[in-house]
Structures are given as C-alpha cells and as structure tokens.
Amino acid sequence: MIISTAELVPAHTVPINADWLGELVEGDKLSVVDANNKPRKLKVIASFEKSVIVKSNKAISFKTSAAIESSTLGKKGTIGSLPQIQKAIRLYKDDMVVITDESIMEALL
C-alpha cells in the first residue's frame, strides 16, 4: 500500500519474492531500479513479520520482476506480479509504500 504522508490511507501494495522481509528493521535501506531504469533507494520506516513500510525521497515507478536488494542484509529479491491493468506503481517524493511477501497478495486474490 502506498501511504501519503499527509493522509495515512492505504492505496497500493508492492509484492516481492523475498523470504527476508521479516529481518528488516526501521532505518534499513532497500535498492531498486525502477520502471524508468533509474536507481532508487527506499528507507524502512516500519517493519512487520512479512512486510515493511518504506519511504523514498524521489519519485519511483515499480515494475514487475524488478530486482530489489537489501544492502543491510546483503540479500536480493524480485518484485512480484503487479495488477495487469497497472504496469507500474508511481511513488512520489515523501510518499510511503508497504512492501509485502507475495504469498500474502496471492491469498487475497
């Protein structure tokens, strides 16, 4: 779910294939190359058992199958299937997003 800093209402969830999400803690950093082929950094601002809420200082467009990496843990994963209608999720400066285990998303569909 993407959460605006001004309005804490969930909008989107970015599923990833990574069994290490529960190991991330507040302050950890994630790296991803977005749909526009730009490297982006995400900062973990909250962590849960199978998901994290992250924030970026720059706009980002997530895309299916993009690699995502935790420099803190030295581990990699990939962004799972985004909705077919929506090829990318656009995140603007200071927006937040929840990154969650893809199996949770599959269970919801």
Side-chain angles (χ1 to χ4, degrees):
M1 33 191 128
I2 292 179
I3 303 171
S4 168
T5 53
E7 168 185 19
L8 296 176
V9 178
H12 297 289
T13 299
V14 176
I16 72 166
N17 299 309
D19 58 359
W20 43 264
L21 279 177
E23 298 174 42
L24 294 169
V25 296
E26 187 176 334
D28 283 350
K29 302 275 195 292
L30 297 172
S31 300
V32 64
V33 175
D34 76 0
N36 297 313
N37 208 30
K38 296 191 183 242
R40 296 292 186 229
K41 300 280 186 205
L42 302 164
K43 181 179 180 181
V44 175
I45 59 170
S47 62
F48 306 93
E49 184 179 340
K50 290 191 171 192
S51 62
V52 292
I53 299 176
V54 297
K55 183 177 172 180
S56 175
N57 288 332
K58 295 186 177 182
I60 181 171
S61 297
F62 292 99
K63 66 178 180 178
T64 300
S65 300
I68 189 163
E69 179 178 1
S70 165
S71 55
T72 309
L73 301 175
K75 297 183 178 182
K76 296 180 181 182
T78 57
I79 294 179
S81 298
L82 296 173
Q84 287 188 4
I85 297 172
Q86 190 169 346
K87 296 295 181 191
I89 293 176
R90 184 98 176 147
L91 184 67
Y92 294 93
K93 181 180 178 193
D94 293 326
D95 280 350
M96 293 176 278
V97 64
V98 173
I99 297 179
T100 189
D101 187 300
E102 187 168 37
S103 64
I104 292 173
M105 294 301 296
E106 291 170 355
L108 294 175
L109 299 176

